[in-house]
Amino acid sequence: MTKLTRRDVLAGASALGLAGLAPRGASASGSMTAAIYPGTWEEAYRAVVAPALKRASGVDVAFDSLFAVDQVAKVRAARGVPPFDCFVLDPGPAAAARAAGLFEPIDSAKLTNAPKVPAGLITRDGVTCNAQVVGIAYNPKKFPTAPKSWTDLFQSPFVERLGLTGFQTTFGTVSLIEMCKAFGGSEANMEPIFTELKKAVSKVAAVAAPAAMPGLFQQGQIDVMYTNTNTVAILKGRGVDIAFAAPASGAITFQTTLHIVKGAENVANAHKYIDVAISAEVQNALQRSPYNMIPINKDVTYVDTLDIKSIDELAKMVTHDWTRINPQRAAWIERFNKEITK
């Protein structure tokens, strides 16, 4: 016999125009649904988090593979019938979802691993599950001396081997903002970086979508790019000659966070899912190849394949205010596509 959850009932009722008459009392005990990024994140959470959740709580998790902006759009389109129980988001989409009122509160008392997470990484509506660090990746065999600053990327010999990508991703956006600052601009004045990009575009090795950059680097079509340490570690694991360099102004960090969707069907199980995701066992597994995710649990000793040595380094890195970035980001993406990608 097929077991229908409240989500199934409401979805069916909505299709029939009967959503207002549907019962809301039933709950799917022992299961939940979580959105997850496609690719490495999905592989890691299916291989590590899902089995750990099953062992710890007997809860089965089904994953909905979606990029962050698509998660937010899907929940907004669902109009109060959440298609999944948990988001996984980067700071820009998280700020947009928060502004739209799409999060349930987090009850930290239900997170047994909360004391193992540094202060500030658990908020009223989100829990950091992993950190990301962004800087410059380069081929040390082609360049024995690493680029030392963001401005170096626009000079020989680096510019001729540079891969440019735009504002579609979090790492691309924050990198271009820091480049802009290095040329005298700011989040409120991005003209300096567009001026430099226009000068450089005829010289660079490639202008491509963010997802294409690792492949171009692996194929030797570019030897310099801006990216996160996760990508560097993955390419290293494939035997690619690649190293990470923090610019003199500092590496950038941002956090990936888990949130419970407003009106989620399985709030209790969502808390269990989040608790397992930040546990030392899971965090230790996720930092290892092929996932290479930076752990946030204080009990985890960092492996030497990561490009930082401890969680304490994150406090010294560059961060950004996404409530200021989000209102401008769409225009930056459009302008990059129009003036640089062409």
Side-chain angles (χ1 to χ4, degrees):
M1 182 177 68
T2 301
K3 184 178 181 182
L4 296 179
T5 67
R6 178 170 67 87
R7 182 174 292 126
D8 299 325
V9 171
L10 290 176
S14 178
L16 294 171
L18 299 174
L21 303 177
R24 296 179 60 84
S27 177
S29 177
S31 67
M32 61 163 291
T33 304
I36 194 70
Y37 297 148
T40 302
W41 277 79
E42 182 175 1
E43 294 171 14
Y45 270 57
R46 286 187 185 280
V48 177
V49 179
L53 178 64
K54 184 69 173 180
R55 288 195 299 274
S57 304
V59 173
D60 292 304
V61 55
F63 291 107
D64 192 352
S65 178
L66 293 165
F67 289 112
V69 292
D70 298 326
Q71 295 174 37
V72 177
K74 190 169 183 177
V75 170
R76 298 189 76 158
R79 297 179 182 276
V81 186
F84 45 80
D85 300 297
C86 261
F87 286 108
V88 58
L89 298 172
D90 285 349
R98 181 174 294 109
L102 302 183
F103 296 154
E104 285 282 347
I106 295 291
D107 183 354
S108 59
K110 295 180 178 177
L111 305 178
T112 62
N113 291 294
K116 303 299 182 182
V117 176
L121 298 191
I122 297 178
T123 67
R124 59 184 172 82
D125 60 19
V127 178
T128 296
C129 56
N130 289 96
Q132 297 197 44
V133 174
V134 175
I136 300 168
Y138 69 101
N139 184 329
K141 287 195 172 178
K142 298 289 181 65
F143 302 114
T145 301
K148 291 184 172 56
S149 70
W150 289 114
T151 57
D152 283 354
L153 302 189
F154 293 81
Q155 300 172 8
S156 293
F158 302 114
V159 68
E160 291 85 0
R161 301 303 304 153
L162 175 64
L164 277 181
T165 191
F167 294 87
Q168 304 97 315
T169 60
T170 302
F171 80 82
T173 297
V174 293
S175 296
L176 289 166
I177 288 173
E178 291 309 300
M179 291 176 203
C180 186
K181 291 178 181 176
F183 285 110
S186 67
E187 292 163 7
N189 174 24
M190 294 293 281
E191 287 305 320
I193 188 57
F194 278 102
T195 298
E196 297 301 324
L197 288 169
K198 288 177 186 175
K199 290 181 196 171
V201 69
S202 63
K203 304 175 187 174
V204 299
V207 182
M213 287 295 154
L216 293 175
F217 200 104
Q218 186 170 1
Q219 295 159 15
Q221 297 186 45
I222 62 175
D223 292 310
V224 185
M225 62 180 176
Y226 33 100
T227 191
N228 55 32
T229 54
N230 179 260
T231 297
V232 173
I234 289 171
L235 291 177
K236 274 184 184 174
R238 296 174 184 170
V240 176
D241 294 319
I242 187 169
F244 180 81
S249 56
I252 303 163
T253 189
F254 61 87
Q255 293 147 13
T256 300
T257 45
L258 298 173
H259 308 265
I260 300 175
V261 182
K262 186 72 175 178
E265 182 176 1
N266 300 295
V267 172
N269 289 341
H271 276 94
K272 294 174 183 174
Y273 169 75
I274 292 172
D275 195 32
V276 163
I278 62 173
S279 68
E281 173 198 356
V282 165
Q283 292 276 301
N284 187 46
L286 294 180
Q287 72 168 333
R288 299 178 183 280
S289 182
Y291 311 122
N292 307 299
M293 296 179 180
I294 296 176
I296 48 80
N297 188 303
K298 292 183 288 188
D299 283 353
V300 176
T301 301
Y302 282 27
V303 294
D304 58 10
T305 49
L306 296 180
D307 282 289
I308 67 172
K309 303 305 178 189
S310 78
I311 196 170
D312 295 336
E313 293 184 32
L314 299 176
K316 304 172 186 175
M317 296 182 186
V318 178
T319 58
H320 297 86
D321 181 354
W322 284 86
T323 62
R324 298 175 63 188
I325 294 171
N326 276 344
Q328 308 175 81
R329 190 177 178 190
W332 296 342
I333 292 171
E334 182 178 358
R335 186 172 176 186
F336 188 96
N337 291 340
K338 182 179 179 182
E339 299 180 13
I340 309 302
T341 303
K342 295 181 179 176

